[in-house]
Each structure stands twice: as C-alpha cells, then as structure tokens.
Amino acid sequence: MLSVKNLNAGYGDVQVLWDLSFSIDEPKILAIVGSNGAGKTTLLRTISGVIKPKSGEIQFKGERIDGCSSHHIVQKGIIHVPEGRRLFPELTVDENLLMGAYARRKGKNLQKSLDEIYELFPRLAERKKQKAGSLSGGEQQMAAIARGLMGDPEILLIDEMSLGLAPLIVDNLVDVVSMIYERGATVMLIEQDVQLALENSHYAYIMDTGRIVKEGESKELLDDPEIKDIYLGVQ
Ligand code: ATP
C-alpha cells in the first residue's frame, strides 16, 4: 500500500533522513518513535509532499508520489495532521472541519460527513459554532484530527498526538485512532510517549538520527530489553 525506498531528505544542505526504507501492506496503526530530532516529523512531511526528497522513492498503491504536490497527495488519500494543530483560530469548528473536505469530498454529501465525524467527537459537536481558537488544547487536537478525517484518508499521519494533553483526553484520542483503523484506514502516529505509542499500535518503527534502527510488532517491542532500557526507562 505504502512503500518508501532508500529515502534521503532534509532541508537545503542539511540532510535529515538517510536511506530510509519501509513498507506497509495492509491497514494498521503504526507508531514512529525516537528521540528529539530523530527525523520523525521530517519523514511525515516527506510522505505528505511538504518536503521533496533528495533521492529515493515513495509509492502509494503502486504509484510514485514523491514528485507530487502536497495537494495531490491529499487527493490520493494521504492526510497529515501536523504538529501544533494549525487550525484557523478565527473560524468556527464547523468551518475548520469543512476546510478539510476541500480536496477530497467535492460533490459528496458534506453534511453527512460532518455528522459522522461529530459522532466520533461528541465534545466537538457541542462546540461546532465556537471559534477554534477558543477550544482547549485537547479539543484543538480533536478538531485537527476531525479535519483530517473530513478529507477521507486512507492513511492518516498524526504528528505528536498526545503532546501536552491531559490523560483523559489522550484516552479519548486513542479510542478515536482505533475507530479510524476499524473503518479501514491506516494511522501513522508520531509519539513522544513511547509506552503509549507501543501499547496502542500494531507495529512500530524506532528512528534515530534519520534512520529506522529497529522495527517490529509493538507488543514485542514493549518487551525488548533495549527498548525498555533506552525508551521506557525500565531495566
Ligand atoms: P521532534 O520530536 O523534536 O520534533 P523529530 O524526530 O520530529 O523531532 P524533526 O523535526 O524531523 O525531528 O527534525 C530532524 C532534524 O531536522 C533536526 O535536527 C531539526 O533541527 C532539523 N530541521 C527540522 N526542521 C527544519 C527546517 N525547517 N530547516 C532546517 N532544519 C530543520
């Protein structure tokens, strides 16, 4: 479904991703974990077309997408919920969500899509006419994910899902991620909280200095002595 081969990418002369390869064959919840500056955000940005790779290939459903604009990549069904949420603060929740439908759902029944998404996020439904800038951090993260869902993703990339949010909100987001997967999409999560990421994903990639240094079933990685030592703070 998604295949990344020998990807090299960065910013100007600064190379961040080094010869990175992986592939996803079926819908899953995937986690990308690793220390600060490992290149996780850069990887998501490269997949979603914000950054053009220096070399390597990205294929989605058999078609190369590494030369495509981010707009085209959204149209193909890969949607990125960026770090920092990037909502339009002066627009209402409803208006922000409708923006997410712009590239993919033209001509589709937008009200029906909105209603379905509000069923997943009852807390947002209560605040649909409120300005996005007045929402709490957790509600803004929900709105950012909901806006991504309005684009009808086959792959949803979520950067720093839980950062700075209260545990109850995080539980709620984890449930939503499961529901997105149950509806048939792949969710790729970047998480600072390695424990949370591994407990709530099927498969995980560990990144360090722009490379994938380890990958495997998340449950197995939770028991891996090296992962425990370096990322989970237990021996
Ligand atoms: P974090 O969790 O801290 O966001 P990360 O694993 O997501 O880390 P990236 O944000 O991908 O890491 O950053 C990887 C490297 O790329 C870092 O050294 C960072 O300084 C550099 N970098 C990120 N954005 C830019 C940019 N716009 N211009 C130049 N260098 C950048």
Side-chain angles (χ1 to χ4, degrees):
M1 189 167 81
L2 182 73
S3 135
V4 171
K5 279 190 208 143
N6 305 111
L7 191 66
N8 288 287
Y11 307 90
D13 290 337
V14 181
Q15 184 159 348
V16 176
L17 303 180
W18 298 85
D19 214 30
L20 194 143
S21 301
F22 68 91
S23 64
I24 306 168
D25 300 327
E26 55 182 358
K28 277 195 174 84
I29 302 175
L30 301 160
I32 306 176
V33 297
S35 50
N36 285 343
K40 305 177 297 293
T41 299
T42 305
L43 175 60
L44 291 201
R45 286 191 184 140
T46 313
I47 295 171
S48 63
V50 178
I51 295 174
K52 297 282 159 257
K54 292 182 204 298
S55 63
E57 277 187 24
I58 305 175
Q59 285 193 7
F60 179 51
K61 297 197 286 189
E63 196 187 337
R64 270 188 81 163
I65 58 165
D66 46 86
C68 295
S69 67
S70 44
H71 182 73
H72 275 107
I73 292 175
V74 168
Q75 281 179 332
K76 289 176 195 298
I78 299 182
I79 296 181
H80 186 171
V81 180
E83 194 177 355
R85 294 138 205 170
R86 311 261 170 83
L87 297 170
F88 295 96
E90 291 302 318
L91 299 185
T92 64
V93 171
D94 254 350
E95 288 162 342
N96 269 281
L97 263 53
L98 286 170
M99 294 278 200
Y102 175 73
R104 284 266 284 174
R105 297 213 194 213
K106 273 182 207 151
K108 295 192 187 171
N109 187 335
L110 288 185
Q111 191 55 49
K112 189 162 170 270
S113 305
L114 264 183
D115 291 345
E116 280 173 13
I117 286 166
Y118 281 132
E119 268 178 44
L120 282 180
F121 295 98
R123 214 171 151 132
L124 284 185
E126 290 163 16
R127 292 163 175 78
K128 55 173 91 166
K129 301 295 174 206
Q130 198 171 316
K131 282 186 180 177
S134 69
L135 298 176
S136 72
E139 290 159 357
Q140 290 195 21
Q141 183 64 295
M142 287 178 190
I145 294 173
R147 183 178 58 182
L149 288 179
M150 282 297 285
D152 203 10
E154 287 184 51
I155 301 185
L156 187 67
L157 311 169
I158 309 180
D159 199 346
E160 298 295 7
M161 186 176 76
S162 76
L163 193 70
L165 304 181
L168 265 178
I169 300 275
V170 174
D171 288 349
N172 205 320
L173 292 173
V174 163
D175 290 344
V176 166
V177 165
S178 295
M179 283 190 265
I180 299 169
Y181 161 72
E182 277 156 23
R183 292 163 154 220
T186 285
V187 183
M188 208 171 199
L189 295 174
I190 290 188
E191 259 299 329
Q192 290 281 311
D193 184 338
V194 178
Q195 178 102 24
L196 177 86
L198 295 180
E199 280 174 353
N200 294 290
S201 60
H202 302 112
Y203 198 85
Y205 301 94
I206 314 291
M207 282 185 73
D208 189 22
T209 55
R211 297 163 178 88
I212 292 176
V213 291
K214 194 167 237 181
E215 64 179 274
E217 301 289 329
S218 303
K219 288 204 167 54
E220 287 171 19
L221 292 178
L222 269 173
D223 286 331
D224 182 308
E226 195 187 1
I227 302 289
K228 279 187 177 171
D229 185 23
I230 302 177
Y231 299 101
L232 302 175
V234 283
Q235 299 285 343

